[in-house]
């Protein structure tokens, strides 16, 4: 497994978020991004997870709810990558993938776009 301090991995996630175009980040609403060491035990290979209500499904009822949650998992990412450059690329793909879910884009479309 590739060794990378948690702080460095968190910085890579922050950099991936910074590379999202401003016109898209301005549209993001009520969402928080977290880095966790490992995914739930029932899905040990999970790199990221979006939990919440996508923007495309929100209506007048959507008020006073907790923020959507995007979680990026450090352990599986480091285990699948062979170099720091691989981690940078995979982290960016995972961040974009989970943000796309916030915008209502499903896995099938993401896979077709190369963010699977």
């Amino acid at each position: 497994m590739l060794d990378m301090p948690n702080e460095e991995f968190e910085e890579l996630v922050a950099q991936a978020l910074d590379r999202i175009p401003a016109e898209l980040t301005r549209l993001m609403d009520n969402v928080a991004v977290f880095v966790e060491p490992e995914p739930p035990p029932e899905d040990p290979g999970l790199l990221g997870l979006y939990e919440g209500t996508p923007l495309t499904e929100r209506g007048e009822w959507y008020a006073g709810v907790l923020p959507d949650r995007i979680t990026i998992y450090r352990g599986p990412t480091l285990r699948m990558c062979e170099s720091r450059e691989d981690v940078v690329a995979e982290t960016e793909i995972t961040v974009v993938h989970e943000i796309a879910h916030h915008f209502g884009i499903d896995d099938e479309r993401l896979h077709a776009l190369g963010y699977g």
Side-chain angles (χ1 to χ4, degrees):
M1 181 169 126
L2 189 65
D3 185 35
M4 178 180 287
N6 191 51
E7 297 78 21
E8 185 177 352
F9 187 80
E10 288 177 357
E11 181 60 30
L12 292 180
V13 171
Q15 290 171 7
L17 287 165
D18 288 344
R19 285 190 287 277
I20 303 295
E23 53 270 16
L24 290 179
T25 58
R26 280 193 293 272
L27 298 173
M28 293 174 65
D29 183 46
N30 200 31
V31 61
V33 178
F34 299 90
V35 174
E36 295 289 340
E38 294 293 336
E42 62 272 9
D43 203 350
L46 192 65
L47 302 180
L49 180 65
Y50 170 75
E51 300 169 286
T53 304
L55 294 175
T56 55
E57 296 178 17
R58 295 179 185 179
E60 292 178 17
W61 59 268
Y62 188 85
V65 299
L66 292 173
D68 290 4
R69 180 180 177 100
I70 292 174
T71 307
I72 308 299
Y73 298 107
R74 179 177 169 264
T77 304
L78 295 181
R79 285 192 290 276
M80 73 177 290
C81 294
E82 295 182 10
S83 68
R84 185 180 190 286
E85 292 76 24
D86 291 345
V87 175
V88 170
E90 192 57 53
T91 300
E92 187 163 328
I93 289 168
T94 303
V95 167
V96 169
H97 182 107
E98 301 311 328
I99 288 174
H101 286 320
H102 176 68
F103 283 99
I105 301 171
D106 65 17
D107 280 330
E108 184 178 331
R109 180 67 178 136
L110 287 168
H111 286 276
L113 294 170
Y115 289 98

